[in-house]
Amino acid sequence: MLIRRAHMRALATSAALAAGVLLAGCNAEQMGMVGDKATRPIPDKLLAEIEAKNMDKGSPMLVRVFKQESELEVWKQDRTGRFALLKTYPICRWSGDLGPKVKEGDRQAPEGFYSIGPGQMNPNSGYYLSFNTGFPNAYDRAWGRTGAQLMVHGDCSSRGCYAMTDEQISEIYSLGRESFFGGQTAFQFQAYPFRMTPQNFARYRSNPNIAFWKMLKEGNDAFEVTKQEVKVNFCEKKYVFDAERAPGATRDPVFSASAKCPPYTMPEDVAQAVEEKKRSDELKTAQLVTGGAAPARSRAGIDGGMHPVFASKLPDGNAAIDKDVTDYTISANSSAPGTVPGHATLPLPKDKDGNVTTVASFSPDTNAPVATAAAQRTTTSTAVANANASASDKDTASSGSFFSKLKESMGFKGSETKQAEATPEPAKPAPKAKSSEPKGGKSSIEKSNDPSQTKAAETKSTPARVIALDGKQNQTQAKSDNSGSVFPTPVAPATSTASAQPSMSGSAPTVSGNAFDNRWSLRN
């Protein structure tokens, strides 16, 4: 009976998605968007990798993100029932600092465990394609954290998001779509500041977020020892992983993020394996510290990061690479997967006025590096004006999206999927654009919070350039989505071949005087 129900659910899901595609296809304006992007098949090479790793195209998936290493992993369940790594994608750009998102406007990309349902997939994004991370989850809300519409999207431009190239998000989106077709109701999104290794915990031992990161490590360790999606709950303003009914209890525990934890337990074999890994890692961390491991260098003034595979291909990009990071999965010498738009910026230090102190971006007018912030202000004033005229990117699943109604119609109940449907906070006046902003315009977060920019692009679109990662210059045709925003379409795109937890009274990160709240007054 259970097998039959699962089969019928998968068939119903497929029918609902297919119907959505057909309805969207009836609209000529959406035909090129939904038909061409959101329904693009998984590339043949990636399908061959799926088969070689004993996986099915429609099997459940899981996503893990590591800020410091600027890498995104896609895992899929293989035919043994365990998750295995399918592919690692370099992140083109993320913003903010290491640490969780605390409030709207801090530029932080979220950290934590989130759940992505069909309603959070946006085929009509002005940033090619996107999905909503679901921030804030119950833990974030319990601590009073604010912000909305934090995405994983294309366009390599971020103000609180994880930005990929268009070619990459196309693959990731198609993998998520096929997992939904296969019957998965939501896929887990795990976002970490760095890989949870003893070396990194030794480096960041004095960071004010260390208690929060140790808590996330418990979920990371549970996943790594079981290779199963981690069950996530919240109580006493902390994460609880893989909780189940306590011995002698007559019902499953009921959790509330701000309330006292109910009696619960963790599967004995999982709890033992997680505890052994924790002890081993803590011992290695202590040995590194006593052996003289240097603490991490300050990131003061550096906004986010970019994977070396992208930065190393750009003029003066080597200056933006953190030489202390040695555990990249993807080598900087590898082929870069996709094109970087001309407005992409390197994560280099800024002065007290917020201006980049060294080469940090490319002029979309010439594709030449801009030598100084002063020169950047002179050579790109027109480009900034055009960028500010871009229409608002409604980077949330719209009512016309073929994913938007799926959760309600099929009764999907992911732990956090309702976050994508939450009403964004009231818009605040956007700050005056500076020359240090990305020249291709604002991200989905910035645009959605800037009502002054929502109409101009309806009457004007400007040609956009992209930086080809082989060093050549490519011209692309500016293309508008059905919300009016403009984004570049690459020419000949390159394709990329626990007993109850201890009290976490320190898990709410301390916001220091040099935090991004104070260094930048910009919105997400």
Side-chain angles (χ1 to χ4, degrees), residues 103-376:
K103 67 178 183 179
E104 181 132 3
D106 61 7
R107 294 183 64 89
Q108 291 292 96
E111 293 174 9
F113 287 71
Y114 300 89
S115 185
I116 316 300
Q120 289 159 256
M121 307 289 282
N122 186 10
N124 298 318
S125 170
Y127 287 80
Y128 198 72
L129 292 167
S130 68
F131 64 82
N132 191 321
T133 63
F135 178 92
N137 63 16
Y139 172 87
D140 301 317
R141 294 193 301 273
W143 284 103
R145 296 175 179 174
T146 57
Q149 311 307 335
L150 281 302
M151 306 283 169
V152 176
H153 59 63
D155 198 47
C156 192
S157 176
S158 170
R159 297 191 66 175
C161 298
Y162 293 102
M164 318 300 291
T165 63
D166 292 354
E167 293 87 346
Q168 289 177 304
I169 195 62
S170 178
E171 278 194 12
I172 298 166
Y173 192 96
S174 67
L175 289 168
R177 182 195 67 230
E178 293 303 323
S179 291
F180 291 137
F181 271 121
Q184 186 175 23
T185 59
F187 64 84
Q188 192 168 81
F189 180 77
Q190 304 176 5
Y192 300 102
F194 40 68
R195 296 190 183 277
M196 304 274 100
T197 63
Q199 292 78 10
N200 281 328
F201 275 93
R203 291 184 67 205
Y204 291 98
R205 58 188 179 270
S206 299
N207 191 288
N209 293 298
I210 194 67
F212 172 70
W213 293 339
K214 286 181 177 179
M215 181 173 59
L216 295 186
K217 186 178 184 298
E218 295 174 7
N220 171 82
D221 291 354
F223 174 75
E224 291 196 354
V225 301
T226 65
K227 293 302 187 291
Q228 299 291 337
E229 181 176 303
V230 184
K231 182 181 178 182
V232 180
N233 290 110
F234 314 91
C235 60
E236 298 178 8
K237 294 186 175 182
K238 66 183 181 182
Y239 279 88
V240 174
F241 300 103
D242 286 336
E244 60 180 26
R245 185 183 303 182
T250 58
R251 63 173 187 169
D252 292 334
V254 178
F255 291 91
S256 177
S258 298
K260 181 178 176 61
C261 291
Y264 70 91
T265 188
M266 190 177 189
E268 184 176 353
D269 57 338
V270 176
Q272 182 177 349
V274 168
E275 184 61 27
E276 289 177 357
K277 187 177 189 306
K278 178 182 177 181
R279 284 199 301 265
S280 174
D281 288 350
E282 287 180 345
L283 176 60
K284 293 176 183 177
T285 299
Q287 291 172 340
L288 288 167
V289 172
T290 57
R297 290 182 295 180
S298 171
R299 287 179 48 86
I302 300 176
D303 183 17
M306 171 183 279
H307 194 281
V309 76
F310 298 116
S312 64
K313 307 296 192 296
L314 304 179
D316 296 291
N318 286 328
I321 299 174
D322 186 349
K323 304 301 190 299
D324 290 341
V325 182
T326 59
D327 52 353
Y328 294 109
T329 298
I330 300 169
S331 168
N333 297 322
S334 301
S335 299
T339 50
V340 177
H343 56 260
T345 60
L346 292 167
L348 293 172
K350 298 182 180 181
D351 61 23
K352 63 181 180 179
D353 297 321
N355 296 317
V356 176
T357 57
T358 56
V359 177
S361 59
F362 297 88
S363 166
D365 297 326
T366 64
N367 269 356
V370 182
T372 64
Q376 184 175 339

Side-chain angles (χ1 to χ4, degrees), residues 55-136:
M55 303 167 178
D56 294 312
K57 180 174 69 172
S59 65
M61 67 177 278
L62 181 147
V63 173
R64 307 210 308 163
V65 162
F66 305 95
K67 279 185 180 177
Q68 177 180 266
E69 295 81 7
S70 296
E71 291 181 341
L72 180 151
E73 296 177 345
V74 173
W75 293 64
K76 281 184 72 68
Q77 194 176 72
D78 63 22
R79 290 166 189 152
T80 70
R82 290 165 62 87
F83 278 88
L85 178 62
L86 172 62
K87 186 171 181 178
T88 301
Y89 295 86
I91 296 174
C92 195
R93 198 70 167 87
W94 57 272
S95 64
D97 202 349
L98 300 184
K101 183 170 185 64
V102 176
K103 67 178 183 179
E104 181 132 3
D106 61 7
R107 294 183 64 89
Q108 291 292 96
E111 293 174 9
F113 287 71
Y114 300 89
S115 185
I116 316 300
Q120 289 159 256
M121 307 289 282
N122 186 10
N124 298 318
S125 170
Y127 287 80
Y128 198 72
L129 292 167
S130 68
F131 64 82
N132 191 321
T133 63
F135 178 92

Side-chain angles (χ1 to χ4, degrees), residues 33 37 121-131 151-157 164 166 169 173 341 343 390-398 440-445 447-448 457 464 478-490:
M33 295 294 298
K37 295 192 305 182
M121 307 289 282
N122 186 10
N124 298 318
S125 170
Y127 287 80
Y128 198 72
L129 292 167
S130 68
F131 64 82
M151 306 283 169
V152 176
H153 59 63
D155 198 47
C156 192
S157 176
M164 318 300 291
D166 292 354
I169 195 62
Y173 192 96
H343 56 260
S390 296
S392 173
D393 174 21
K394 309 297 185 181
D395 223 342
T396 177
S398 64
K442 303 178 181 180
S443 74
S444 59
I445 308 308
K447 289 180 179 180
S448 64
K479 184 175 181 180
S480 175
D481 68 5
N482 63 3
S483 67
S485 58
V486 176
F487 58 92
T489 301

Side-chain angles (χ1 to χ4, degrees), residues 27 292 354 504:
N27 185 324
M504 295 299 299

